[in-house]
Each structure stands twice: as structure tokens, then as C-alpha cells.
Amino acid sequence: MDLRRLKWWRLEQRAKPPMRRIQALWGSLAALAGIAVVVAILVPFRAHLAEATCALVLVVPVVIGVGIGGFQAGLVAVAGGFLAYDYFFIPPYGTLSVGSRQNYLALAVYLAVMVAVARIVARLQAVRAEAAQRADSARRLFELSDVLITERPLDQLSHVIASTLQGAFGFDGVALLLAHGQGAGLRVGAAVGEAIDATALSLLGSTLGTPASLVRVSPPVRLGGRLPGRQRVTVPLVAMGEAVGALVVVGRALRADERQLLSTYANQAALALERARLRAQVIESEVLAEAERWQRALMGAVSHDLRTPLATITAAVSDLRELGASLLARDRDELLGLIESQSDRLARLVTSLLDMTRIQSGALAARPEPAVLAELVEEAVQALVRTEVPGRLVVELEEPEALVLADHALVVQVLTNLLDNAALHAPEAGAIEVSSRQVGGRVEISVADRGPGVAPADRERVFSMYSKTSGAGRAGLGLAIVKAFVEAHGERVRLEDRSGGGARFVFSLKLAEPSALDEPGEARGVVSPRRAG
Amino acid sequence: MAKILVVDDDPSLRKALSIGLQARGYALVATGNGEDGVVQAALSQPDVVVLDLGLPDVDGIEVCRRIRSFSGAPIIVLSASGEEQRKIQALDSGADDYVTKPFSMPELEARLRVALRHAEAQQPGRAEEAQRLVVGSLVIDLVHHEASHNGRSLELTAREFDLLAYLAKNAGKVCTHHLILQHVWGPQYQQETHYLRVYSHRLRRKLGDWDGTMLRTHPGIGYQLVAE
């Protein structure tokens, strides 16, 4: 199953490339025209000129003809020149008969010289053309290879290969078929230029079946391009002994050197495609690994954050059960209070965890509606009423009655989590400050504490799910939820330094149009029942 | 009155622990971060340290290492289930025992009692008694390679004796597989945990410790020798 043996497998091959014949025709015509001109100029003076002079001048159009059209044109030119010489310049003029013997000699010399000249010029021409071809091949190969160096995704690379090939060779159409994997058949990776019609390609695909069976295709499949001088070529792309696909090109017939070039290029393209495919595999496995890491982080955060309140509840309950009556009334109350506040915390966590999952899965979208800023803050504080937060709170809102666009439930959750976080990290009984100020069309709301603060390098990580054990300190579920909910509003949350130490979390909300509540409709209907509740 | 240092960043758990432990007659020092925990371990000379592994400032394992560098006080680590690797790291860094969150107060108190008992047993006359180890009814003579349990002499192979002696030296402490293998078998045997399963079984049989209350197994983590 040697694919390389079949580097060149032609489905359809027309005879000679047409270019040369066209050139020969032009060369012949040019030579004949030249002869006509020379004759027209020399005829008035022919009586005064030696026959040899005329013969010498007649060399010129022959050389021109050979130069343009090669040896074939040269032969035509020699024949034409010979006839013209005999007819116009060998007496008796106007006939093909030759007068004296001396004139036979002149004609013979002329003929011999002309043929020799045509030979030499034609050979020179051929050598020059070959050199030009080589230079051309080298240039094209360079251009082609150049585009393969850049790392590209597989599909983009396929397209680049196909279009570069088309440009470099002037093909009418190029299609690049990619192997799906061993035994899985071929698919069209890229197609440029004249469509190699789809039915034919699918036919090719089904005929070829697996890439390995490229070698066994026997009946040539007829595809478009039945014009004379056109051919279709299929080149298997083989890298490291494995077929990675095939190139199908339709266009003019190729010279031998071009075929060599196309073959070389196909090898390079195959390697580049294989590389791109392997890279895609690596990327895919990296993405999977990243997803897995994320999931582990989420699990870690969830279990840590759910377990923290549970630890207090379990410890407090076992105290009450064991020590019961022997506890001081104050201590018993405090333990019960802890159980209540931690149960609330647990409930909040579960709710917001569900909300976040729904938002991230797209099942729940934030629905911002006009809301009174002070009321959002109040409700968040209310949720923490059984904790120490309310006693430590300092609220300074720039314009408490400002209307902001907020999804009520989500923003209350954001504030609750930020307050909870502040209470957790501020020194015991230290003040927690909530403030707001208007900036442009937005309100910036901040929650600040006098805790240890967060190093600038860790400020982004604080909002990630990575659990506290990773060393980021404040990270965990609560702040990840804050970030998700604020971003669901199309807004941002950031963490700042506080002058004098501590952390300040700032998030923004858009200001609602002042008239939003005056208009009849949803806005009023939504806000008022909440106020009642 | 034994003094306990609690290092945990959750204020509510700190409060629940302080109420419960004080009501049980312990003196208590509590702090919410690792730096302060290390300082308190030096200043207030606690008899036992209860240390949460997830601290906001310094990693709990690092705190463990730092406290161990100057203090012999037993360290009981608080950690979440599923964090087996972290528990092992902490134990290797000098922690003595661990409690998995959430835990009940009696559970924690039982660990505290074990830690306190072994800490007391080890402290007096350490220098002169270095040839003899006593763990409850177990007596090990390191000079003559002899061991007895309830006054009855034990027939131990050399390796069994080494294992028992190592656990007895660290009585009350949870010794990780890694540490035991390294000290008893040698550094190249650190992966051979099946040795431990075989030898611990033999030791239990010879000690008459059928339910494993004396030589405790901590699955996936290590072994602990506790005086009955």
C-alpha cells in the first residue's frame, strides 16, 4: 500500500500543452511577416545587390521567428525565406527556376546556414526557458512554503493551501480533501476557484473511501474541465506514512517541472496539515483539562462554603445537647443565635448557588427594573438581621432615593454577600461601611471594611471560585456569585485599596430614567408590591 | 486547666468552640488568622492548638510548620472531608491529629483529651527516660529491644519492634504512611503501604488489640498509637 509510489496519478491527460503550438504559430507568422517586409524593401534594389547580400538580410526574419516560436517556427521561416529568396532574388526574378549554377550554390548555402541558425537559436531559447522555469519553480515553492510556516487552525490552513496553490499555478479550481481519520473517509476541507462540482467530489469521496484506498482507485472519475488543454490531477497528501487527505486540481496542463513542484508542495502541505491536526488535538485536550479544573474548583468552593456554616451548626447543636442545662443562659442564647444565623447563611448560599447555575446555563437572565437604592440596601441588611452585621453597619448613601436599574433579587444577593464577606474579614466589631456616589449615568455602590485587604496581584482571583485553601484569602463562592450577578446586569465589580487599610468592593448600577415610575406599565406594578412586602 | 489555642477564620465557629470548650473547663485563646496564630502559640503557651487549614493569610500547613519549629504542643488540624492530601501534608508538617468538618464537640473533645494525655506523658523526665517508652499499659525498652503489654512480654521481630517503637515515640500522633515507612523501613520504601497493612495486622494480633482501639487505622492517611 505504498502511497508515495502514486504521487502522480492522472485522471485525464490531454496531449501536448497547447502553449508551445500557439507560440510556434506566432513565431511563424512573425517570421513570414518579416520576410515580406524584407522583400518589399529589397526588391526595388535587387538589381544592384549581390545575391549573397539579400540572403544575409533574409537571415534576420528567420532568427526572429526562431526566437519567438522555437525550432518549428524556425523551419517555417527557413522554408518561407528559401522560397522568397529563390522567387524574388535569384534571377530570373518572379519564378522559382534557378538560372545559373552559381545560384544553386547560393540557395544551398542559404538553406544550410538557416537551418543551422534555427537550431542554435532554438537551443539557446530552450536553455533560457528552462532556467526561467527553474527560477520560477523555486520562487513559487518559496511562496508556497512561506504560507505553511505560520501556525493556523486546520480549516484556515486548508483554505490558505488551496488558494495559494491556485494563485501560484493559475489553476481554475483547487479542492482540498481532508481525511477524517483512518477508515473514516474524506471531507472537503477547502475549495477555491471554479467549483469542482459537489456531486463529482462526493463521487470521488465515495470512490476513494478511506485515504489508504486512494491507491486502489481504478476507473478515472470524469470531472468538469472537458475543454481542450485542461486536465484534472489528484495528489494524495501523505505525512509520516499516513494519508492526511488529497488535493484535486483542475486547470491547464502542467509542465513536468510544475508537476514536480506540485508534488513537492503537496508533501509540505501534508506535513503542515498533520501538524495543524495534532495541534488541534492538543488544544482540545487542554480545553477539556481546563473545564475539569474549573469543575473541581467549583466543587471545592461549594463544599467549603456549605461546610463552613455546617461546622458551626454541628458544634453548637452538640454543645446544647451535651451541656444543655449546665450552660449559662447567655451562652445558650448565643449558641442558638449562631445556629439561626448559620442556617440562614446556608439557605442563602443554596439559593444563590441555584441562581448562579441558572444564570450561567442561560436559564435565568437578569431583569433590571427601576428600584430605590436605599431599599435594596435595607433588604440586604434585613437578610443578615440575625448576624452581627446590622450592629456594625455604617450606611452613607449619596442619594438614597435614587432609582437604579436592578434585578431586585440579584442585587440584594450581591449586597448580602459583600456584607457577609466584610463581616467575615473585618476585625471583630469593626465598622462595615456601605456608601454610594453617582458617576455619570451610574451609581457606584461600595462595601468597605477594615480587614487585612487583598494584595493587588490577587484582586482578580478573589472573584474566582478557587477555594480559600488556595491562599487567595477571600475567594470562595460568595464573591464568585457577586461577580456573576453584577455582570449579568452588564456592569462590573472591582476591589480597591482603602486608605488606612482594608478592602473596598465597588460595583456599579445604571441610573433609571427619573420618569420611569411615572409611566403606566410594568415598572410601577413591580416596585409597589415589593414595598408592601 | 488546659489552655487551647483555636485558629479559625470563621467567627461563628470560633464563638461556638469557645462557648463549648469553656463550658467544659478549658481555657481558650482564639484568633482568626495564621500570623496571629503563630504569635499566640508562642506568647500564650497553649497546651493544644486547634488549627483550621483554610486561613485567609497564611496557608494552614505553613502555620503548622512554623508552630512546630518552636513548640511541642500537639496540633489538631480542622479540615474538610475530601481533603485527604492536605491532611497528610499537615501531619507530615508536624500536626498530631485531625478532625473533619463538620464535627461535634464531643468528637473534638475526645481528640483534645488524647492529645493532652500523650503530651503530658511525654514531657516529664524526657531526658533520663529516653531508653524506655510507656504508652498506657505498653512498655518498650529501647536499649534491650524488649516490649511488654500489661506486664506480659511480647515476641516481636526486629521490624515489628521498630514499627511499635516508632509509633510509641509518637504516641497520640497520627503518623502518615509516608513518615512510618521512611523512618522504619527507609526512604526507598515510601510507596510500599502494603507493608504497613501486614505489619499493623501482626502487631494488633500480638497486642491483643482486636478492635483496633489501641493501634488505630486512619484509612488512606496513616496509623496512630493511643493509650487505652
Side-chain angles (χ1 to χ4, degrees):
Chain A
M1 228 177 266
D2 186 4
L3 283 170
R4 269 154 293 191
R5 212 176 48 209
L6 250 159
K7 198 109 283 180
W8 278 95
W9 179 61
R10 280 192 227 166
L11 292 170
E12 198 176 329
Q13 166 82 44
R14 300 276 159 181
K16 275 269 164 190
M19 279 305 273
R20 234 180 248 175
R21 274 187 292 176
I22 293 167
Q23 275 180 348
L25 187 66
W26 279 113
S28 309
L29 288 175
L32 294 178
I35 289 165
V37 170
V38 168
V39 168
I41 293 168
L42 290 184
V43 162
F45 312 103
R46 61 187 171 189
H48 311 287
L49 293 169
E51 284 93 2
T53 311
C54 299
L56 269 178
V57 177
L58 274 171
V59 172
V60 177
V62 172
V63 173
I64 290 172
V66 176
I68 296 173
F71 190 64
Q72 285 179 337
L75 288 181
V76 174
V78 168
F82 178 81
L83 290 175
Y85 183 46
D86 188 8
Y87 191 81
F88 293 106
F89 301 106
I90 303 285
Y93 301 131
T95 67
L96 285 176
S97 61
V98 180
S100 66
R101 281 196 183 156
Q102 192 193 347
N103 291 345
Y104 275 111
L105 183 63
L107 266 178
V109 169
Y110 174 77
L111 197 61
V113 168
M114 282 308 95
V115 171
V117 165
R119 267 255 168 82
I120 291 163
V121 172
R123 195 168 300 158
L124 276 175
Q125 196 75 4
V127 169
R128 219 178 44 214
E130 204 178 311
Q133 271 175 19
R134 269 200 216 112
D136 181 51
S137 299
R139 183 181 53 77
R140 278 194 272 183
L141 187 61
F142 172 74
E143 283 175 4
L144 293 168
S145 317
D146 204 34
V147 303
L148 295 182
I149 294 169
T150 326
E151 291 278 357
R152 289 186 174 88
L154 191 57
D155 284 339
Q156 204 185 334
L157 180 68
S158 312
H159 190 81
V160 167
I161 289 172
S163 56
T164 315
L165 263 183
Q166 192 203 15
F169 288 88
F171 290 127
D172 296 331
V174 177
L176 180 64
L177 308 178
L178 289 172
H180 268 315
Q182 208 61 40
L186 297 163
R187 69 177 170 91
V188 180
V192 294
E194 177 188 305
I196 299 173
D197 72 273
T199 50
L201 269 184
S202 67
L203 183 64
L204 180 71
S206 63
T207 320
L208 295 175
T210 63
S213 68
L214 273 172
V215 284
R216 277 187 263 141
V217 178
S218 39
V221 186
R222 282 201 160 266
L223 296 181
R226 310 236 175 106
L227 295 169
R230 276 166 49 106
Q231 67 174 11
R232 211 207 51 198
V233 176
T234 302
V235 194
L237 296 171
V238 182
M240 302 181 222
E242 239 182 81
V244 296
L247 269 172
V248 182
V249 303
V250 175
R252 63 179 176 78
L254 297 170
R255 297 188 308 265
D257 66 300
E258 286 179 320
R259 259 180 275 148
Q260 190 59 45
L261 180 62
L262 181 55
S263 162
T264 309
Y265 183 61
N267 284 339
Q268 292 188 358
L271 282 173
L273 287 168
E274 178 70 2
R275 202 177 55 210
R277 202 177 58 76
L278 290 175
R279 208 166 59 96
Q281 271 176 6
V282 169
I283 289 172
E284 195 182 338
S285 63
E286 273 173 5
V287 166
L288 281 177
E290 179 58 35
E292 204 178 312
R293 261 200 297 282
W294 203 85
Q295 208 165 9
R296 261 209 304 274
L298 176 65
M299 289 308 296
V302 169
S303 66
H304 177 273
D305 285 36
L306 294 183
R307 222 187 306 259
T308 303
L310 272 180
T312 303
I313 294 171
T314 312
V317 166
S318 63
D319 268 347
L320 286 168
R321 177 191 280 281
E322 278 252 316
L323 307 173
S326 66
L327 278 172
L328 295 174
R330 184 173 52 91
D331 284 348
R332 204 164 46 229
D333 280 352
E334 204 158 355
L335 287 176
L336 287 170
L338 283 174
I339 294 170
E340 274 177 341
S341 68
Q342 294 305 301
S343 305
D344 288 350
R345 188 166 162 202
L346 207 52
R348 281 201 308 278
L349 261 171
V350 171
T351 310
S352 50
L353 190 60
L354 286 177
D355 282 350
M356 186 166 75
T357 317
R358 283 204 294 249
I359 279 191
Q360 280 180 344
S361 69
L364 177 72
R367 291 194 317 161
E369 285 158 352
V372 179
L373 180 59
E375 205 180 273
L376 292 167
V377 176
E378 244 164 65
E379 199 164 318
V381 176
Q382 205 59 40
L384 295 165
V385 75
R386 285 204 283 245
T387 68
E388 53 194 312
V389 170
R392 298 164 59 180
L393 204 61
V394 179
V395 182
E396 270 176 39
L397 301 179
E398 194 182 80
E399 212 179 303
E401 295 304 310
L403 282 182
V404 290
L405 282 174
D407 183 309
H408 198 91
L410 297 190
V411 170
V412 167
Q413 191 59 251
V414 165
L415 282 164
T416 312
N417 287 9
L418 288 178
L419 289 172
D420 205 21
N421 176 73
L424 215 55
H425 293 94
E428 237 144 287
I432 299 164
E433 290 159 43
V434 179
S435 57
S436 77
R437 66 193 182 102
Q438 298 195 3
V439 182
R442 287 188 162 74
V443 178
E444 284 198 342
I445 302 151
S446 59
V447 176
D449 63 59
R450 288 286 177 200
V454 176
D458 286 332
R459 288 198 187 149
E460 264 308 305
R461 273 179 62 196
V462 157
F463 295 105
S464 80
M465 297 263 201
Y466 291 94
S467 75
K468 293 188 176 189
T469 47
S470 69
R474 296 189 183 231
L477 213 49
L479 292 179
I481 289 169
V482 165
K483 186 170 192 250
F485 286 4
V486 171
E487 285 178 358
H489 283 78
E491 299 289 319
R492 300 226 150 269
V493 57
R494 62 177 193 274
L495 172 53
E496 293 178 346
D497 254 338
R498 263 194 101 179
S499 53
R504 182 202 297 278
F505 287 88
V506 185
F507 72 97
S508 52
L509 287 174
K510 284 184 204 68
L511 275 169
E513 294 289 317
S515 58
L517 283 190
D518 300 337
E519 286 174 28
E522 278 183 44
R524 179 172 299 180
V526 169
V527 169
S528 42
R530 278 208 183 124
R531 199 164 265 167
Chain B
M1 189 160 58
K3 196 190 279 174
I4 317 286
L5 169 62
V6 172
V7 188
D8 193 303
D9 65 327
D10 182 11
S12 8
L13 184 62
R14 276 207 304 274
K15 197 166 287 169
L17 288 183
S18 50
I19 292 171
L21 290 176
Q22 276 166 352
R24 285 176 171 83
Y26 294 95
L28 207 91
V29 183
T31 174
N33 66 71
E35 291 289 356
D36 203 31
V38 176
V39 172
Q40 287 301 328
L43 286 184
S44 44
Q45 300 278 329
D47 296 302
V48 184
V49 179
V50 175
L51 172 68
D52 183 33
L53 283 185
L55 292 171
D57 54 343
V58 192
D59 187 66
I61 288 163
E62 178 59 26
V63 175
C64 224
R65 201 170 289 137
R66 286 199 212 163
I67 292 179
R68 190 47 80 237
S69 70
F70 61 79
S71 163
I75 300 173
I76 297 176
V77 158
L78 303 180
S79 79
S81 73
E83 291 189 336
E84 257 53 44
Q85 217 42 52
R86 306 244 323 143
K87 284 175 198 162
I88 292 172
Q89 268 179 297
L91 292 168
D92 282 348
S93 308
D96 292 81
D97 204 346
Y98 60 87
V99 183
T100 304
K101 275 188 188 178
F103 52 85
S104 69
M105 289 304 290
E107 193 182 341
L108 178 64
E109 212 205 347
R111 307 296 175 98
L112 286 173
R113 273 202 306 268
V114 168
L116 283 167
R117 188 185 330 143
H118 287 289
E120 270 166 34
Q122 278 182 10
Q123 260 168 10
R126 241 186 178 180
E128 62 256 38
E129 297 259 350
Q131 300 96 339
R132 237 165 73 91
L133 296 168
V134 181
V135 179
S137 52
L138 183 70
V139 180
I140 297 170
D141 185 334
L142 292 174
V143 179
H144 303 99
H145 270 239
E146 282 168 4
S148 66
H149 184 227
N150 290 327
R152 187 173 54 85
S153 153
L154 297 171
E155 302 251 329
L156 300 175
T157 66
R159 192 73 85 188
E160 285 165 2
F161 181 84
D162 288 347
L163 174 59
L164 188 62
Y166 179 78
L167 290 171
K169 265 182 225 163
N170 296 285
K173 176 178 158 55
V174 178
C175 302
T176 60
H177 296 146
H178 167 90
L179 277 177
I180 301 174
L181 286 165
Q182 186 177 5
H183 284 100
V184 179
W185 272 268
Q188 66 271 37
Y189 292 94
Q190 281 174 22
Q191 305 302 320
E192 317 289 338
T193 43
H194 61 281
Y195 286 18
L196 292 178
R197 279 195 289 277
V198 174
Y199 276 82
S200 64
H201 175 75
R202 289 187 191 162
L203 273 183
R204 276 201 197 107
R205 208 178 48 203
K206 292 185 179 177
L207 289 168
D209 178 29
W210 305 111
D211 52 359
T213 49
M214 190 176 174
L215 177 50
R216 289 187 189 163
T217 302
H218 293 257
I221 292 179
Y223 294 87
Q224 181 186 25
L225 189 67
V226 182
E228 311 96 299

